Amino acid sequence: MTAGSFPETGTDTETGADTTGAEERRAVRGSAFGARGLLDVLGVAAVVVDAAGRIVLWSPQAEGLFGYRVDEALGRYIAPLIVGEERRAEAMRLFGEVLGRGTTWAGTFPVRHKDGSTREVEFRNMRLTDDLGDLYALGICADRSAVARVETELALSDRLVDQSPIGLAVLDTDLRYALVNPALERFDGVPAERHLGRRPSEVLPGLDAAPLEAAARRVLETGTPLLDLQALGATPSDPGGGEHAWSVSFYRLEAAGGRVLGVAAWVVDVTERYRADAAADRSRRRLALIADASARVGTTLEVERTAGELASVVVPALADVAAVDVLDSVLSLRRPGSAEGPALFRALAVRAGHETEALAAADPPGSVALYGADRLVTRCVQSGQPVLVARVGAADLPRIARGPEAARLLERAGVHSYLAVPLIARGEVLGALDLKRDRHHPLPFDADDVLLAQELASRAAVSIDNARWYQSARNTAVTLQRSLLPGPPPERPGLAAAARYQPAQESSEVGGDWYDVIALPGEKTALVVGDVMGSGIDAAATMGRLRTATRAFADLDLSPSQVLRHLDRITVGLEHSIATCLFAVYEPGGGCRIANAGHPPPVRLPADGPAELVPLSTGVPLGVGGGTFRTARVPFLPGDRLVLYTDGLIETRDSVIDDRLALLTRLVEATRELSLEESCDLLLRELRRPGAPDDVALLIAGSTG
């Protein structure tokens, strides 16, 4: 009777102790993927019986499976030993079929263990013939529970591999694919058969596989797993879908005895997470760029500086080269030209994030260029819409560059993407922000870049518009102010004079400061400096009236105090007007008579002594009414100088007035060896601060004999 003849359980009268070893039981419980071989895990036994059904071979594993030692089993009939009486006939039939017909039988049969228990055993039986022609039956058998466990694990492993959403692969020791699951096929867009026998770099040319292969090689050599490596690239499964991302983990596969089989790879498609993270990071960078632009663009009311600030913000964060150009008609406040013809641009700023020939292709700041209607920047300002050329080709460059040579420079610089957005403020197109990307920005401009550029251009356009109107208004105000002031001081007997007027730098409104040098009878000369409080057209008008009135009263040969009294009465009649004034009369050889109406004291620089503030009785400002003014006589000998000024020269928001007067005195002392003109320049240079909020009138007179 063969062991393979028994598909069901049975019992025998002979019993014995259970000799199943602990190691074999552990093997059955262990995983089929343990350190030992699969046959060891299953505890596969071999039994051979002769044609009469007597046992002639009993393997050590059979002892563990059935409980009988080899000396208890050899020579005995197998049926009574391991088959119960109720299943013995069936076992004999199967035994006869195997020996008689030479068929192979496989299946499960219940057998009786030496300890009396019944166990399900998996059999595979076949007929053997020796060299003498004698027949035998070979039974290969294993505990059914161990077989079922291995089958379950294998089935589970197969299902996990085949149905897993995670890409799984096995690379051999040459890092060539030996196994690929369906998920990885989908990720790669390459069938499994095209993976096998090839390296990752050969299967996926759009992926930078060199770092992955190097990592797999380290795992193969060291046995230390590497987890969550990032791989980026394109795949044949989604050729137009942009960059994909995967998380790849490697661990080494080893067989029984520690033999290295290769490397297993777990691949998770994290493209959506990567793109979400990239989008979030991009949004953060865009918000940071907008915040940066809010802080850096429009810090002054200067058109050119504002344009430069905009160009500096977008380079290199958004583009490699940026240019800001405005319509020339905008700066001159003229009506724009035709909406369909060429456009005349004035370049305000150009910036590059690195050394590039594209910078030389741009119009230099300050230059004026006429661009035809076919140029993209012209189309941008005439339509008021962005113009995007995501991928610049050879045919696009002539429509971008100012000329053929500039187009060649852009081509050599590797310019591959172009974007122009209009500068629009209060519904008027002022110009365009021109952006280019070259090799330093490998990705082309996209829709998000257009929105960002529009946001930045919109914010900057308002600042540019404010600056151009401010400059225009300021130029008008300064022109008006200067028209109300006298020309260069006239030559007078025994007297030389130099004067300066500087408008306020923070405001475009007209100021009320003035100076005057008036010829009087008898070769006398009146020196006047005044300051109407406030600013605007009213202040300028009051200043003009007071200057005219001062000339009229001075011509009457009145004393300085009398002139101030008359001016005070006139000023009282002018609504909301108060002014300070210093009126001096120089008499050749007779010194100077001075009266003060609330004005800062003059500085006297004697030819043979230190500079000093002239002590004067300071009356109330003009316009207060009822004030008392006194005339003081001040020495003014040949070689002496007298410095008259308005408070804009010395007053600041953060300094004590006495300290500033002391500084003025020291500076006047330092002008002793300078000409009057040079002295004016030095005082203004040292005392005036950038962004000064008040205008200044300065008059220096020197006695020549």
Side-chain angles (χ1 to χ4, degrees), residues 213-263:
E213 292 183 359
R217 178 66 64 187
R218 288 199 302 274
V219 172
L220 198 63
E221 294 171 352
T222 66
T224 303
L226 290 177
L227 307 178
D228 198 23
L229 305 175
Q230 189 177 70
L232 302 174
T235 68
S237 63
D238 190 15
E243 194 171 50
H244 286 249
W246 300 271
S247 172
V248 183
S249 299
F250 293 112
Y251 62 93
R252 190 167 71 184
L253 291 178
E254 299 177 3
R259 182 171 62 90
V260 176
L261 300 177
V263 177

Side-chain angles (χ1 to χ4, degrees), residues 19-75:
T19 59
T20 303
E23 183 176 352
E24 283 77 5
R25 288 196 297 273
R26 283 195 301 273
V28 172
R29 290 196 302 270
S31 168
F33 303 99
R36 296 176 299 158
L38 181 59
L39 295 180
D40 293 327
V41 172
L42 293 173
V44 175
V47 178
V48 177
V49 299
D50 61 15
R54 287 189 296 268
I55 299 170
V56 298
L57 185 145
W58 190 261
S59 72
Q61 289 79 11
E63 180 179 342
L65 182 60
F66 300 108
Y68 297 99
R69 299 189 307 274
V70 64
D71 60 319
E72 295 176 316
L74 290 177

Side-chain angles (χ1 to χ4, degrees), residues 637-681:
L637 303 174
D640 289 358
R641 292 184 179 182
L642 195 62
V643 179
L644 291 73
Y645 55 92
T646 57
D647 58 6
L649 184 68
I650 57 171
E651 289 185 353
T652 64
R653 294 168 179 168
D654 55 358
S655 299
V656 178
I657 188 64
D658 289 341
D659 294 342
R660 295 285 292 176
L661 287 171
L663 175 60
L664 170 63
T665 304
R666 291 195 299 273
L667 289 172
V668 170
E669 178 71 40
T671 66
R672 187 181 297 275
E673 302 301 326
L674 301 179
S675 68
L676 298 183
E677 297 291 342
E678 292 171 336
S679 298
C680 288
D681 294 338

Side-chain angles (χ1 to χ4, degrees), residues 330-347:
V330 166
L331 290 183
S332 58
L333 302 181
R334 303 192 312 271
R335 288 182 176 273
S338 170
E340 297 180 355
L344 186 64
F345 288 90
R346 183 177 296 275

Side-chain angles (χ1 to χ4, degrees), residues 47 178 217 220 259 290 322 350 399 412 455 458 491 497 588 623 635 654 702 705:
V47 178
R217 178 66 64 187
L220 198 63
R259 182 171 62 90
I290 291 174
V350 61
R399 298 190 299 151
R412 287 205 299 266
E455 176 68 22
S458 176
E491 293 184 5
D654 55 358

